[in-house]
Amino acid sequence: MLFGSRITTHFDYILILLILPLIFTSLYLLSETSQTLLIRQSSYAFLGIFIFLFIFFIPFRYLYKGVVVFYIVCILLLLAVEVIGTTKLGAQRWINIGGFSLQPSEPVKIAVVLFLAHYVQKNPPPEEGYDWIEFFKISIFILIPFFLILIEPDLGSAIIVLVMGYGMLFIIGVHKKVWLTCIIAGLLFSPIAFKFVLKPYQVDRIMKLVSGNTSSQVQQSLIAVGSGGLTGRNYEDATQANLKFLPVATSDFIFAHFAERFGFLGSCALIALYLFIVLHLLSFCFLDSQDYFLKVIASCLAMLFFVYTSVNIAMTIELAPVVGIPLPLFSYGGSSFITFVILIAMFENAATFRFSFSNFKETTPFGNFMRIPKRRMKH
């Protein structure tokens, strides 16, 4: 009874109510585009329910060793991409395991979030924020997957890991002198990175964006967004998506498809919905000043929603280079969708059981045999 009442009382229903319109609207757009894609995405959504329920009941707060192993395995998978990885669309990002294709950059995001949550919980920042030593330690855990993903090359996913990690640190707390030094170093290093780190095609995309000489993909996207007008077009008149002028209208450029159908007002409503999700997640960072595990997961998930959404929308309206980042829980595809489902389940777990993580028996359905001695749970 206590366990069930704890779930019904502290479970965050608001987040679920905010993401459901995204999923249903996405399925509606897919139904107009391809019945095959609709069936596949519906299967991902159906599978996501079971994955959510499974992940929700995993006691992540007490699986520190398992989280470390998971992080190391994900790093090894990223290294394996360079040796046995398969190439698709000019990038070596996948590993074939039997008949299954795995993109390690997706699970590594989950591993980084969990690892950082445990590390910060065990090493909370002082009142003035982390100093150089702790900042350097945490940076290692962020930069290792960042560089391994960058050399695949997958600039979009690499940027996501970087912004997610350091965005979380900004919310948790780092000394101002550290941030000032990093900003100056970043400005000085950016020309070097532009010259020697980025791939030629990545530099070409940036130069085209700056010069205004955008690709045909972006041009068709701009036409679709503009043709939506104030309130959008009906299905028969939405020619950009229906006549296949708009490329990848179900994934990378699905926002342009949505804007053509629902116009400026619909686009503003969609952006506002994502903004509410980000602000709602960030609000959990201020519930309990001592629960850094929840703070890290909530802030990382908020950063992911913010970066994915802002970059995807920006690239469809010629404000950012095309980097292949999907719109969260909206674009067609299973990998990103399931990753977000897992992260949302982890957040719900941390939020639901936040009031009793000092007593493991009351907060998990696994019984006494998994209970951790209290002396090991002190931080």
Side-chain angles (χ1 to χ4, degrees), residues 167-245:
M168 177 276 298
L169 281 176
F170 179 81
I171 295 173
I172 295 299
V174 174
H175 199 283
K176 295 180 180 179
K177 293 182 179 179
V178 177
W179 284 128
L180 182 60
T181 305
C182 290
I183 292 173
I184 295 174
L187 293 175
L188 295 175
F189 179 72
S190 56
I192 300 175
F194 186 81
K195 180 68 176 178
F196 299 103
V197 177
L198 296 180
K199 301 293 182 180
Y201 79 92
Q202 295 169 342
V203 174
D204 181 63
R205 289 180 179 178
I206 296 175
M207 294 305 298
K208 285 184 177 180
L209 176 68
V210 174
S211 64
N213 184 23
T214 55
S215 65
S216 60
Q217 290 179 325
V218 178
Q219 292 174 4
Q220 295 297 334
S221 175
L222 290 172
I223 294 173
V225 173
S227 64
L230 183 64
T231 58
R233 292 185 168 189
N234 57 37
Y235 174 73
E236 292 76 12
D237 296 331
T239 56
Q240 285 298 111
N242 292 340
L243 300 181
K244 311 301 181 183
F245 292 118

Side-chain angles (χ1 to χ4, degrees), residues 103-210:
Q103 188 175 358
S105 60
E106 289 300 326
V108 80
K109 297 168 189 172
I110 301 171
V112 170
V113 172
L114 281 174
F115 189 91
L116 293 178
H118 275 284
Y119 186 89
V120 174
Q121 182 68 35
K122 291 178 177 293
N123 305 276
E127 185 176 351
E128 64 276 11
Y130 283 124
D131 57 13
W132 275 108
I133 296 178
E134 286 299 329
F135 180 80
F136 179 75
K137 289 180 181 178
I138 297 175
S139 294
I140 292 176
F141 305 133
I142 299 172
L143 292 177
I144 289 177
F146 165 75
F147 283 112
L148 290 177
I149 296 173
L150 185 64
I151 63 178
E152 290 182 354
D154 189 351
L155 179 61
S157 295
I159 291 176
I160 286 171
V161 171
L162 193 70
V163 176
M164 177 188 71
Y166 286 105
M168 177 276 298
L169 281 176
F170 179 81
I171 295 173
I172 295 299
V174 174
H175 199 283
K176 295 180 180 179
K177 293 182 179 179
V178 177
W179 284 128
L180 182 60
T181 305
C182 290
I183 292 173
I184 295 174
L187 293 175
L188 295 175
F189 179 72
S190 56
I192 300 175
F194 186 81
K195 180 68 176 178
F196 299 103
V197 177
L198 296 180
K199 301 293 182 180
Y201 79 92
Q202 295 169 342
V203 174
D204 181 63
R205 289 180 179 178
I206 296 175
M207 294 305 298
K208 285 184 177 180
L209 176 68
V210 174

Side-chain angles (χ1 to χ4, degrees), residues 21-78:
L22 298 175
I23 298 174
F24 287 125
T25 305
S26 172
L27 294 176
Y28 176 76
L29 290 177
L30 289 175
S31 68
E32 296 182 343
T33 306
S34 171
Q35 290 299 314
T36 301
L37 296 184
L38 171 64
I39 294 173
R40 290 180 180 177
Q41 193 68 14
S42 298
S43 66
Y44 295 144
F46 187 71
L47 177 62
I49 297 174
F50 293 96
I51 293 177
F52 178 92
L53 293 175
F54 176 77
I55 297 297
F56 176 74
F57 290 109
I58 296 178
F60 291 106
R61 292 181 185 269
Y62 310 97
L63 298 178
Y64 174 70
K65 292 182 179 180
V67 168
V68 172
V69 172
F70 180 48
Y71 178 86
I72 294 174
V73 169
C74 287
I75 296 301
L76 293 176
L77 288 174
L78 288 176

